[in-house]
Amino acid sequence: MPEKPIDHIDFDELNSKAISKPLVTHLFTADPSAHVFDGRIYIYPSHDIDEGDAFDDLGSHFAMKDYHVFSMAHPEAEAIDHGVAMRVEDIPWAEKQLWAPDAAHKNGTYYLFFPAKDYDGIFRIGVAISTSPGGPFTAQPQAIKNSFSIDPAVFEDENDNYLMYFGGIWGGQLQRWRTGSFKAEGEGPFIHLPEDNEPALCAKVAKLSNDLLEFVEEPKDVVILDEAGMPLLQGDNERRFFEAPWVHKYNGKYYFSYSTGDTHYICYAMSDNPYGPFTYKGRILNPVVGWTSHHSIVEFQNKWYLFYHDSSLSKGVTHLRSIKCIELTYDEFGHIHTIDPYR
Ligand code: FUB
């Protein structure tokens, strides 16, 4: 992914204007998926490292090799590092690039869902399990059957249904699956994408099996409609889905939030149905320092929080990010107030 020009940024000034500080400073962390387990906030992020890989629009420089889990007693408390939760060498099917994970809990077992490239260079989504929310996690021998692309986010509905949302375009390879099988031919992030005037590529949603280890249905499109009820178009890059899906429920409505990637917004859309279609509503987070933006939304003690990341600690290095947290608020119609990450 390309760098935004950062020559003009005074990072001391920027950090003094930042609305929140990095939760973790001894490691670089990104893509925070937050959940409340046993009354504590657990955060499942990517662990960013610099492997010296060349920067490209497919994100080859995001070369992560392990996961750490963090937990906090409350959003202002110190984030405790629970240590290495899982390494790429402990995942039989995965070769590289442990990207944005998520977690879920069911019947005393904790599940870590994660994307990684297999030995054919194809992103798949795997599951690992633990008896503790802080790990360590043991990976299943194979990726989830028929899984593809990146950024799993698992939403638990009231009826004990667990739905996995996933997907990401460009380096996330979603565009290579448009016909139902992986299209390997062609180089670069744009090949296989729809034309600008065609409906945008959608994130996917699939219900998980009772043991949360497989899909029990074909992944379906998470359609986002505009105010006129028409699907957003691929060329509408300030609003269309790029990566980082997340779903939460507030006042009986489902909120599908996501990153717009190359325009650097976190946006959201609302629906009465977790499968959608969702109607576009607006922006949650304006652009952060760094190319990517990725978030989660969680309720803790009757307040709502946005977990996100930026590259301010690394002074703008795209693949060395830091997780952060800020309160998120709604208006009387349930619309989310847009957050500016720097005052
Ligand atoms: O961290 C690697 C990738 O960058 C994630 O999977 C994307 O969502 C973006 O944040």
Side-chain angles (χ1 to χ4, degrees):
M1 299 177 186
E3 291 282 70
K4 275 194 289 187
I6 55 168
D7 306 350
H8 60 288
I9 296 179
D10 175 338
F11 281 96
D12 291 334
E13 191 194 347
L14 180 100
N15 283 326
S16 73
K17 291 182 176 168
I19 57 169
S20 61
K21 292 189 170 18
L23 297 177
V24 175
T25 53
H26 65 289
L27 300 174
F28 288 110
T29 53
D31 310 323
S33 292
H35 293 272
V36 178
F37 296 135
D38 296 333
R40 275 181 84 77
I41 300 171
Y42 281 85
I43 311 166
Y44 300 85
S46 304
H47 172 197
D48 282 354
I49 52 172
D50 186 5
E51 282 292 285
D53 293 282
F55 285 56
D56 64 26
D57 284 345
L58 294 171
S60 305
H61 46 301
F62 292 95
M64 299 81 115
K65 292 181 165 180
D66 64 18
Y67 292 114
H68 284 236
V69 178
F70 298 84
S71 74
M72 309 161 81
H74 57 80
E76 289 79 39
E78 185 188 353
I80 307 295
D81 183 353
H82 291 265
V84 176
M86 191 170 67
R87 297 182 170 86
V88 69
E89 54 265 38
D90 301 327
I91 308 165
W93 59 269
E95 183 187 13
K96 59 184 180 182
Q97 290 181 291
L98 295 185
W99 283 15
D102 191 22
H105 171 244
K106 187 174 181 182
N107 298 336
T109 299
Y110 295 86
Y111 298 79
L112 183 71
F113 301 95
F114 60 94
K117 274 193 183 150
D118 66 15
Y119 286 90
D120 294 322
I122 300 175
F123 267 116
R124 304 279 181 187
I125 295 172
V127 193
I129 58 176
S130 177
T131 53
S132 163
F137 287 85
T138 305
Q140 294 295 296
Q142 304 290 340
I144 296 175
K145 273 195 286 302
N146 301 323
S147 69
F148 54 94
S149 198
I150 60 166
D151 291 1
V154 173
F155 173 74
E156 179 188 351
D157 210 346
E158 284 90 4
N159 308 323
D160 214 22
N161 286 324
Y162 290 73
L163 296 177
M164 180 183 287
Y165 298 81
F166 63 94
I169 63 173
W170 293 24
Q173 301 180 338
L174 192 58
Q175 67 280 2
R176 293 188 179 269
W177 290 94
R178 284 179 71 189
T179 57
S181 59
F182 186 77
K183 294 280 177 258
E185 63 274 9
E187 297 283 330
F190 310 120
I191 193 153
H192 304 297
L193 278 173
E195 297 296 325
D196 280 359
N197 60 359
E198 291 182 305
L201 275 187
C202 295
K204 301 286 180 180
V205 56
K207 188 176 167 185
L208 293 173
S209 53
N210 283 335
D211 60 9
L212 306 194
L213 299 180
E214 299 293 346
F215 295 152
V216 291
E217 61 187 4
E218 283 286 309
K220 298 174 170 57
D221 281 349
V222 180
V223 175
I224 305 174
L225 304 174
D226 65 14
E227 52 289 343
M230 298 302 290
L232 295 184
L233 300 180
Q234 193 65 33
D236 187 355
N237 68 340
E238 296 210 339
R239 299 194 296 176
R240 59 92 176 92
F241 172 79
F242 187 101
E243 63 187 2
W246 186 261
V247 168
H248 73 281
K249 195 174 184 183
Y250 172 75
N251 275 353
K253 301 281 186 197
Y254 296 91
Y255 290 68
F256 176 74
S257 49
Y258 56 96
S259 168
T260 62
D262 54 339
T263 51
H264 316 289
Y265 296 109
I266 298 291
C267 291
Y268 75 105
M270 292 169 64
S271 178
D272 293 322
N273 188 323
Y275 284 89
F278 291 82
T279 301
Y280 181 85
K281 292 296 174 188
R283 293 176 185 161
I284 296 176
L285 182 67
N286 281 330
V288 294
V289 170
W291 199 96
T292 68
S293 199
H294 190 127
H295 71 299
S296 64
I297 295 169
V298 69
E299 186 179 18
F300 182 75
Q301 296 181 348
N302 301 319
K303 287 186 171 188
W304 287 85
Y305 295 90
L306 177 76
F307 285 77
Y308 65 105
H309 68 225
D310 74 7
S311 295
S312 56
L313 187 65
S314 68
K315 298 197 185 315
V317 181
T318 288
H319 61 293
L320 297 178
R321 301 161 290 178
S322 300
I323 58 172
K324 295 183 158 190
C325 169
I326 193 77
E327 189 177 348
L328 171 146
T329 55
Y330 304 83
D331 70 13
E332 68 268 36
F333 306 107
H335 297 154
I336 295 173
H337 293 125
T338 306
I339 295 169
D340 272 313
Y342 315 99
R343 288 182 203 96

